[in-house]
């Protein structure tokens, strides 16, 4: 591939998405709501399928996304309801994001975690299979999993898409299984030689941060809540290193991947990593220190003693394939990402119209 080709592929193509019909599971969640805002801004027709927003408040309701999205509030574990909604939507592209997304929750509710993350994936792919048998011209499916789907050996180098899958906690294990399920459906039902070929890829992203995340037991949401209340931020794993990236970075990757799958099919139908640069792989304590500095006077943090559920100490992705083949790269570094989070949180405190704030940040990211 020439340098010119790489440069051309780096540009995002809003025109591709105009009037595209996109079916998004998990549209009421943090990442799903941001994705729906982005898709609508680019002229796509979006159908969402998800449970009610998982937190109060949440981006979905703050941005009044029910005005823009054909929203189905239902469970991905209900195959018949999901299949009916997807077939009726007749999408060009399916992006599956519905999940139980939290490591600590997976320890408390392992059966639910596996039920949602395994059977949810099976049901989405089965609904796609049924729909294409009925003549719905679905061209691409992106299943969003996680960087935690790898068998974590605490390596100091990044995991590649060909490295072994695994998981030492229910969440990670469930997402590794989701990857295997996707590969099985791709080979069994959607391969180029099948009667109903659909390009199916998976997206593995690192720790996502951004404005509007109120999930429990996540570092940045907990930090913003503490800072807003004038409390010190509690730090559980000060030395753990995470692949921090703004929510718009992996969403950009998902959109690029979906477009390439729709345009070029099987040559892109595989797993893809979307993570930050190595410079943004910093310890938890360093991230919190930077966040406190950006927040302003009075912000502080403390290390929280005690025994906590096991989490990986070091996890990094090798994103060479996405960078070279998709032309993808994060557009905001960690400091810019944290600046945008503080900007979002303080706009929320001032009761600004958050739909406008989100759309402005999307424009800044894509501009």
């Amino acid at each position: 591939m020439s340098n010119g080709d790489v440069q051309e592929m780096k540009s995002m193509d809003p025109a591709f998405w105009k009037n595209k019909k996109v079916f998004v599971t998990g549209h009421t969640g943090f990442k799903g709501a941001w994705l729906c805002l982005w898709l609508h801004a680019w002229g796509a027709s979006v159908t969402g399928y998800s449970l009610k927003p998982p937190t109060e408040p949440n981006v979905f309701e703050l941005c009044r996304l029910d005005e823009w999205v054909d929203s189905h509030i239902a469970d991905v574990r209900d195959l018949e309801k999901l299949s009916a909604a997807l077939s009726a939507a007749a999408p060009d592209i399916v992006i599956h994001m519905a999940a139980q997304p939290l490591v600590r929750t997976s320890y408390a509710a392992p059966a639910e975690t596996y039920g949602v993350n395994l059977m949810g994936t099976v049901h989405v792919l089965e609904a796609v299979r049924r729909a294409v048998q009925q003549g719905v011209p679905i061209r691409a499916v992106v299943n969003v999993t996680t960087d935690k789907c790898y068998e974590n050996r605490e390596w100091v180098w990044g995991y590649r898409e060909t490295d072994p899958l695994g998981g030492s906690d229910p969440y990670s294990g469930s997402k590794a299984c989701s990857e295997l399920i996707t590969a099985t459906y791709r080979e069994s039902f959607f391969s180029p030689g099948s009667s109903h070929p659909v390009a199916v890829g998976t997206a593995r992203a690192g720790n996502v941060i951004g404005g509007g995340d109120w999930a429990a037991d996540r570092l940045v949401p907990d930090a913003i809540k503490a800072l807003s209340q004038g409390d010190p931020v509690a730090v559980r794993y000060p030395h753990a290193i995470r692949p921090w990236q703004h929510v718009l970075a992996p969403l950009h990757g998902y959109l690029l991947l979906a477009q390439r799958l729709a345009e070029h099919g099987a040559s892109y139908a595989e797993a893809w990593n979307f993570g930050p640069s190595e410079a943004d792989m910093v310890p938890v304590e360093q991230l919190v220190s930077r966040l406190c500095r950006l927040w302003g006077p009075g912000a502080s943090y403390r290390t929280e003693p005690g025994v906590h559920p096991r989490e990986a100490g070091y996890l990094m992705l090798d994103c060479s394939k996405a960078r070279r083949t998709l032309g993808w790269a994060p557009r905001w570094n960690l400091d810019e990402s944290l600046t945008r989070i503080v900007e979002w949180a303080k706009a929320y405190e001032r009761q600004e119209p958050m739909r406008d704030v989100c759309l402005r940040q999307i424009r800044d990211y894509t501009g």
Side-chain angles (χ1 to χ4, degrees):
M1 182 179 295
S2 69
N3 290 336
D5 290 333
V6 172
Q7 186 62 39
E8 180 181 353
M9 292 181 75
K10 283 184 179 179
S11 62
M12 291 180 281
D13 185 8
F16 169 84
W17 293 95
K18 188 171 179 61
N19 298 322
K20 285 290 187 299
K21 292 188 288 185
V22 186
F23 190 90
V24 178
T25 71
H27 70 295
T28 62
F30 166 58
K31 288 171 69 177
W34 274 97
L35 179 64
C36 289
L37 282 163
W38 194 332
L39 286 168
H40 179 82
W42 279 3
S45 174
V46 182
T47 299
Y49 186 99
S50 180
L51 297 176
K52 293 179 181 179
T55 63
E56 178 60 44
N58 56 82
V59 173
F60 181 81
E61 292 176 337
L62 284 172
C63 295
R64 307 187 310 282
L65 273 167
D66 58 341
E67 299 174 1
W68 288 351
V69 175
D70 180 12
S71 182
H72 297 256
I73 302 301
D75 197 320
V76 290
R77 290 172 291 185
D78 187 335
L79 174 58
E80 299 309 318
K81 189 172 289 187
L82 173 61
S83 186
L86 190 143
S87 293
D92 303 295
I93 293 168
V94 175
I95 302 178
H96 174 42
M97 303 177 71
Q100 192 299 95
L102 302 174
V103 172
R104 288 170 71 88
T105 299
S106 77
Y107 282 107
E112 179 181 359
T113 298
Y114 279 104
V116 173
N117 294 352
L118 269 70
M119 293 312 298
T121 299
V122 170
H123 288 171
V124 168
L125 295 173
E126 182 64 15
V128 169
R129 188 180 73 87
R130 292 181 182 184
V132 296
Q133 286 178 336
Q134 296 164 7
V136 177
I138 299 170
R139 296 158 61 186
V141 177
V142 176
N143 177 23
V144 175
T145 63
T146 177
D147 61 337
K148 296 176 181 64
C149 68
Y150 292 105
E151 180 183 338
N152 192 347
R153 301 176 182 177
E154 304 284 346
W155 284 335
V156 296
W157 55 84
Y159 292 89
R160 295 182 177 180
E161 290 87 347
T162 53
D163 283 327
L165 302 176
S168 58
D169 59 81
Y171 170 72
S172 302
S174 72
K175 285 298 193 175
C177 291
S178 179
E179 286 278 350
L180 295 172
I181 290 164
T182 305
T184 299
Y185 261 80
R186 180 168 52 225
E187 294 301 319
S188 297
F189 306 113
F190 304 133
S191 65
S194 69
S195 57
H196 300 289
V198 179
V200 180
T202 60
R204 304 166 179 176
N207 281 44
V208 173
I209 57 179
D213 186 1
W214 278 280
D217 291 324
R218 280 171 52 83
L219 177 67
V220 172
D222 288 348
I224 293 297
K225 180 179 179 181
L227 293 170
S228 298
Q229 295 173 345
D231 298 328
V233 178
V235 176
R236 293 192 298 262
Y237 303 95
H239 306 298
I241 297 174
R242 297 284 185 267
W244 314 103
Q245 60 183 329
H246 193 275
V247 62
L248 296 179
L251 295 184
H252 168 204
Y254 306 162
L255 293 174
L256 277 175
L257 174 57
Q259 180 179 340
R260 302 298 180 237
L261 288 167
E263 292 177 332
H264 303 290
S267 58
Y268 288 83
E270 51 192 31
W272 298 83
N273 286 341
F274 298 104
S277 66
E278 190 171 353
D280 290 331
M281 294 280 299
V282 303
V284 165
E285 187 171 14
Q286 188 177 139
L287 178 137
V288 172
S289 177
R290 293 187 192 185
L291 190 60
C292 288
R293 185 175 68 251
L294 288 166
W295 190 266
S300 64
Y301 68 92
R302 60 177 174 79
T303 300
E304 188 176 74
V307 178
H308 308 291
R310 183 187 182 278
E311 293 187 15
Y314 190 82
L315 181 59
M316 183 170 70
L317 295 177
D318 182 334
C319 302
S320 303
K321 186 172 76 167
R323 290 172 182 269
R324 298 186 65 177
T325 308
L326 296 177
W328 173 87
R331 295 189 165 193
W332 289 345
N333 63 19
L334 181 57
D335 282 336
E336 181 66 22
S337 298
L338 294 175
T339 297
R340 297 293 180 150
I341 291 169
V342 171
E343 172 188 276
W344 200 100
K346 296 204 170 184
Y348 173 73
E349 286 188 338
R350 293 191 296 268
Q351 298 185 327
E352 293 184 18
M354 298 313 297
R355 178 193 283 183
D356 294 345
V357 174
C358 289
L359 290 173
R360 182 171 66 245
Q361 291 198 347
I362 291 170
R363 287 193 300 271
D364 289 346
Y365 190 86
T366 57

